[in-house]
């Protein structure tokens, strides 16, 4: 996620005795996710307009190669953002279906603090740690 994306929302402070993933908590995370999605969409639109404006044909092969390299990097970043928007949409669907906030692997609560840090999380910290360890072992 680009570093310029900022979460203007304060961390959710649950009331004493409030149930996990109450309607207020779900609405809080839905607002955060919609805000992120809007910011990402704006960034993608800006990139498209910038690339159209900067579509200059350089006579010098080095300048052309540099421009193509810059565009390729920009497109790679936008593709990552497009995938993040897809994940945000899936997460919003999870909120609406009532599955949000619970680990896909073991079913326990993910936790509000983890969701504040990564609103699209679908694994608890223990399952995510095991998943990352497996990934590292497979890479070797």
């Amino acid at each position: 996620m680009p570093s310029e994306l900022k979460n203007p929302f304060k961390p959710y402070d649950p009331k004493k005795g409030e149930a996990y993933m109450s309607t207020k908590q779900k609405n809080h995370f839905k607002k955060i996710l919609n805000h992120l999605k809007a910011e990402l969409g704006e960034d993608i639109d800006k990139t498209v307009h910038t690339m159209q404006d900067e579509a200059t044909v350089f006579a010098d092969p080095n300048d052309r190669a540099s421009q193509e390299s810059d565009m390729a990097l920009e497109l790679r970043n936008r593709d990552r953002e497009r995938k993040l928007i897809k994940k945000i949409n899936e997460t919003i669907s999870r909120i609406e279906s009532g599955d949000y906030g619970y680990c896909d692997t073991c079913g326990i609560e993910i936790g509000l603090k983890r969701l504040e840090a990564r609103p699209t999380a679908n694994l608890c910290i223990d399952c995510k740690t095991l998943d990352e360890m497996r990934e590292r072992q497979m890479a070797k």
Side-chain angles (χ1 to χ4, degrees):
M1 193 167 12
S3 59
E4 60 269 2
L5 293 180
K6 297 214 178 2
N7 180 356
F9 302 96
K10 292 181 181 165
Y12 189 84
D13 187 25
K15 308 289 181 248
K16 188 172 183 164
E18 183 178 357
Y20 182 70
M21 281 300 119
S22 66
T23 303
K24 284 185 178 182
Q25 291 174 15
K26 289 178 185 177
N27 288 337
H28 171 77
F29 288 110
K30 202 171 188 179
K31 285 178 190 172
I32 290 172
L33 290 163
N34 282 319
H35 176 77
L36 285 172
K37 186 167 89 170
E39 279 191 356
L40 289 167
E42 289 173 15
D43 284 351
I44 290 170
D45 290 342
K46 285 178 192 173
T47 299
V48 169
H49 294 304
T50 302
M51 290 178 85
Q52 288 171 343
D53 294 342
E54 294 180 2
T56 308
V57 178
F58 292 104
D60 181 27
N62 291 327
D63 289 340
R64 192 175 324 125
S66 179
Q67 180 190 34
E68 287 176 10
S69 176
D70 290 347
M71 283 188 172
L73 178 63
E74 195 68 33
L75 287 172
R76 220 176 8 255
N77 287 337
R78 295 307 157 236
D79 188 52
R80 288 177 57 210
E81 289 176 355
R82 181 188 56 78
K83 290 176 183 174
L84 180 56
I85 288 174
K86 182 180 177 201
K87 189 166 183 171
I88 288 170
N89 287 332
E90 291 169 357
T91 303
I92 291 171
S93 294
R94 288 174 57 95
I95 290 173
E96 291 167 357
S97 70
D99 295 331
Y100 183 71
Y102 297 93
C103 180
D104 283 352
T105 304
C106 67
I108 67 165
E109 296 175 359
I110 292 175
L112 294 177
K113 289 184 180 181
R114 174 156 166 69
L115 291 171
E116 289 287 349
R118 181 163 296 276
T120 58
N122 58 350
L123 296 175
C124 67
I125 196 70
D126 293 334
C127 290
K128 183 62 177 172
T129 302
L130 287 172
D131 194 40
E132 288 174 355
M133 290 169 80
R134 276 188 222 109
E135 280 182 25
R136 272 184 257 136
Q137 288 176 347
M138 298 296 273
K140 291 181 181 179

